[in-house]
Amino acid sequence: IAKIAALIMLGKKLKDFMLKKNNFKHIAVKESVFPFSKFDGSDIILGPEMKSTGEAMGIDYNFGKAFAKSQLSAGVNLPLKGNLFVSVKDSDKHSVYEHVKSLKNLGFRISATMGTANFLKEKKIDCVSIKKVKEGKPNIVNFINEKKISLIFNTTEGTQAIKDSFTLRRSAIYNRIPYYTTMAGAKAVVEAIKELSKKDLKISSLQKYFFKTKLNKVIKSV
């Protein structure tokens, strides 16, 4: 692909390569590797600036397995049990319910900030309410530092909310706790944990997923 892209920049056309669609059955997931733990005071919420220092990839025939491999490759150890902490903005509460329910069924304990906890309790999810940092002690940062939290789902909205949850994010980094700040991330990690729980994750060579084609011959002929 890189060779084709370079030749296109030099004036070649896609039609010059006589490309055929590859019917790959695998899924590849790329994960950015961030240096947050090495830079004191940095925030893991992403913006327009470039913060990653590398990339990792996971490949499998199943999305959950591919995502799990991408996390493991990036140094993120996903838990198969423990305490899930949830604190999400109002617009994400209905979405997060399904993900929390899935992890509850896998044996995870659930804790949340008051607003999220009340919502989950209304949905018949057993949940322990934990204070935010500004609400006093013991709060979520205390629980994180005491190794009582295994996984975090947290979405914020508004400048003040982002500022208020900064210490939560930094504590998660220091304690190497997997932390997901979008519903897409939460959904993906739930699928990954489901697959990891089956204990049948296999590592294979790239040759297993890719087959030889006439691509090299096509490139040379052009």
Side-chain angles (χ1 to χ4, degrees):
I1 293 176
K3 291 179 181 179
I4 291 174
L7 290 171
I8 287 174
M9 285 189 285
L10 293 173
K12 296 294 181 181
K13 302 296 183 182
L14 277 175
K15 63 182 179 181
D16 297 333
F17 299 96
M18 296 179 290
L19 299 176
K20 294 182 180 180
K21 183 178 180 180
N22 289 314
N23 296 314
F24 294 128
K25 295 181 180 180
H26 67 268
I27 297 172
V29 177
K30 184 180 76 171
E31 177 63 278
S32 299
V33 178
F34 296 101
F36 297 126
S37 60
K38 298 179 181 178
F39 295 97
D40 190 34
S42 63
D43 199 338
I44 68 175
I45 285 186
L46 300 181
E49 66 275 11
M50 184 67 170
K51 292 184 177 181
S52 66
T53 55
E55 296 172 344
M57 181 175 67
I59 303 180
D60 211 295
Y61 297 110
N62 165 294
F63 173 77
K65 290 181 178 179
F67 188 82
K69 289 180 179 179
S70 75
Q71 300 303 286
L72 292 169
S73 298
V76 178
N77 293 315
L78 299 179
L80 300 183
K81 60 181 181 179
N83 192 352
L84 166 67
F85 173 75
V86 188
S87 179
V88 298
K89 57 189 179 184
D90 289 341
S91 59
D92 286 336
K93 284 184 170 61
H94 288 282
S95 297
V96 84
Y97 163 71
E98 294 297 333
H99 310 322
V100 171
K101 181 179 178 181
S102 294
L103 292 181
K104 180 71 174 178
N105 291 337
L106 288 174
F108 277 76
R109 301 183 302 279
I110 311 299
S111 58
T113 48
M114 185 179 296
T116 303
N118 289 339
F119 172 82
L120 293 175
K121 288 176 182 177
E122 290 175 1
K123 293 289 186 177
K124 310 302 180 183
I125 298 287
D126 291 333
C127 184
V128 174
S129 180
I130 296 179
K131 293 180 181 179
K132 298 178 181 179
V133 174
K134 66 179 182 180
E135 294 174 340
K137 295 183 178 180
N139 54 53
I140 180 55
V141 170
N142 300 134
F143 280 84
I144 290 174
N145 291 334
E146 292 170 7
K147 313 297 183 184
K148 294 180 179 179
I149 304 295
S150 306
L151 180 65
I152 297 173
F153 293 162
N154 176 228
T155 64
T156 55
E157 189 172 51
T159 303
Q160 190 59 46
I162 293 174
K163 182 178 179 181
D164 290 343
S165 57
F166 173 76
T167 53
L168 163 60
R169 294 188 292 276
R170 284 307 307 178
S171 297
I173 293 170
Y174 287 137
N175 291 281
R176 301 181 65 83
I177 297 172
Y179 190 112
Y180 295 88
T181 59
T182 65
M183 287 300 95
K187 180 179 179 180
V189 76
V190 168
E191 293 302 313
I193 291 173
K194 285 180 180 177
E195 294 301 328
L196 288 172
S197 297
K198 298 176 183 177
K199 300 186 183 301
D200 64 348
L201 199 67
K202 296 180 176 63
I203 306 300
S204 303
S205 66
L206 288 175
Q207 285 81 355
K208 178 180 178 180
Y209 300 100
F210 296 93
F211 51 87
K212 293 182 179 180
T213 68
K214 298 179 180 179
L215 184 58
N216 287 332
K217 292 181 180 180
V218 172
I219 293 173
K220 290 178 181 178
S221 67
V222 175

